[in-house]
């Protein structure tokens, strides 16, 4: 069998986010960076993560609204 017949063509993927969307999301999440990136699992940080959990959902909802408007 020829090699060309065995090759599987991959489809070209589109970008997930535009540059504008990336910048907007970064601006929304930046205030929570220390909480998001912290890998500690002690009681102090777990409590902080729990307290700020609802606050972290708000930027996500704002971002979804922006994407749906475009």
């Amino acid at each position: 069998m020829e090699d060309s017949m065995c090759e599987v063509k991959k489809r070209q993927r589109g970008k997930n986010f535009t540059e504008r969307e990336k910048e907007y999301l970064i601006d929304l999440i930046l205030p929570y960076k220390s909480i998001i990136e912290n890998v500690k699992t002690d009681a102090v940080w777990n409590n902080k993560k729990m307290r700020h959990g609802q606050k972290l959902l708000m930027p996500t909802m704002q971002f979804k609204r922006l994407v749906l408007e475009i």
Side-chain angles (χ1 to χ4, degrees), residues 4-18:
S4 62
M5 293 179 74
C6 294
E7 289 182 27
V8 176
K9 291 184 181 179
K10 293 184 179 182
R11 68 179 179 90
Q12 190 72 18
R13 280 195 54 164
K15 291 185 176 184
N16 292 333
F17 300 102
T18 65

Side-chain angles (χ1 to χ4, degrees), residues 1 5 12 40 45 56:
M1 209 175 242
M5 293 179 74
Q12 190 72 18
K40 292 181 182 177
W45 278 99
L56 289 170

Side-chain angles (χ1 to χ4, degrees), residues 8-67:
V8 176
K9 291 184 181 179
K10 293 184 179 182
R11 68 179 179 90
Q12 190 72 18
R13 280 195 54 164
K15 291 185 176 184
N16 292 333
F17 300 102
T18 65
E19 287 302 314
R20 179 176 169 219
E21 291 171 338
K22 286 180 192 178
E23 289 173 9
Y24 185 69
L25 185 58
I26 289 169
D27 289 341
L28 290 173
I29 300 298
L30 201 55
Y32 307 103
K33 181 181 177 183
S34 64
I35 296 166
I36 294 169
E37 290 185 341
N38 193 300
V39 295
K40 292 181 182 177
T41 56
D42 59 17
V44 173
W45 278 99
N46 283 343
N47 286 334
K48 278 187 180 184
K49 289 176 185 179
M50 290 298 289
R51 280 196 317 261
H52 294 289
Q54 290 295 339
K55 291 180 185 176
L56 289 170
L57 290 177
M58 293 307 295
T60 305
M61 298 306 290
Q62 291 173 350
F63 182 71
K64 284 183 181 179
R65 252 181 285 160
L66 171 78
V67 171

